[in-house]
Amino acid sequence: MKLSEVKSVLGRLETIGFQLPNGELVPNHFHVTEVGKITKHFIDCGGTERKEDVVNFQLWNANDYDHRLHPEKLLNIIELSEKVLGIEDLDIEVEYQAETIGKFGLEFNGKNFLLTSKQTDCLAKDKCGIPVEKPKLKFSDLNDEPCCTPDGNCC
């Protein structure tokens, strides 16, 4: 989800909810402790230099049960971050405390923001010898034609 999409959604909401990949909701007394731009400059295992930029939201649960972050407050924090930090319309990454700090993608389901699981991946499979996975075929997907017809599927 891009920053512009988050801002658009916040403009229509009365309350903010974040839902974890397992379906649980982040407690409604959470705080957004950081809005920032993270730049990752690295070399992949194939030797290619890469650079990635994301907007980062950090969610934190406090013992402050009487305050709840309202959409207009988060929108103000985002707009200040854009102005002060020069943040562009980038993809959002969310940090949230679990056993350790978890990094999540972000989507919206019409009611809550969904923290989506992220996966690691090799960015240079063609250069570091990772075999390409062959698609698995089902016998039911194969043609029922006899094998020896001129347009058959065996020759």
Side-chain angles (χ1 to χ4, degrees):
M1 186 171 211
K2 297 269 190 201
L3 186 60
S4 59
E5 296 171 280
V6 171
K7 290 169 54 178
S8 175
V9 168
L10 287 171
R12 301 187 308 263
L13 292 178
E14 292 184 28
T15 60
I16 306 171
F18 284 92
Q19 186 173 345
L20 295 164
N22 66 6
E24 290 180 33
L25 290 173
V26 170
N28 62 11
H29 57 276
F30 73 91
H31 291 254
V32 175
T33 59
E34 296 177 10
V35 173
K37 178 180 177 181
I38 294 179
T39 299
K40 182 178 176 183
H41 188 193
F42 61 101
I43 295 177
D44 68 25
C45 61
T48 301
E49 180 181 16
R50 297 180 186 265
K51 187 175 181 183
E52 294 176 357
D53 293 319
V54 296
V55 174
N56 184 68
F57 292 175
Q58 185 181 78
L59 305 183
W60 178 65
N61 292 332
N63 293 329
D64 182 5
Y65 298 100
D66 296 328
H67 294 91
R68 183 177 174 135
L69 182 64
H70 293 282
E72 63 275 3
K73 174 73 173 178
L74 180 53
L75 195 52
N76 288 339
I77 295 168
I78 291 170
E79 289 171 349
L80 180 60
S81 299
E82 288 175 308
K83 180 180 169 187
V84 173
L85 302 175
I87 294 177
E88 306 96 33
D89 190 24
L90 301 169
D91 286 325
I92 304 289
E93 180 177 85
V94 178
E95 293 180 350
Y96 182 68
Q97 186 71 42
E99 294 82 36
T100 187
I101 296 173
K103 289 186 176 189
F104 300 89
L106 191 66
E107 295 178 4
F108 187 71
N109 69 0
K111 181 180 178 185
N112 293 313
F113 287 102
L114 305 176
L115 301 182
T116 59
S117 296
K118 295 181 77 160
Q119 302 292 317
T120 60
D121 193 11
C122 176
L123 300 176
K125 290 180 184 87
D126 59 325
K127 293 183 179 178
C128 67
I130 303 294
V132 177
E133 223 176 284
K134 294 180 183 178
K136 295 181 180 179
L137 298 176
K138 295 180 188 174
F139 286 116
S140 61
D141 292 341
L142 296 176
N143 201 335
D144 286 339
E145 293 179 25
C147 184
C148 296
T149 62
D151 294 327
N153 59 6
C154 68
C155 301

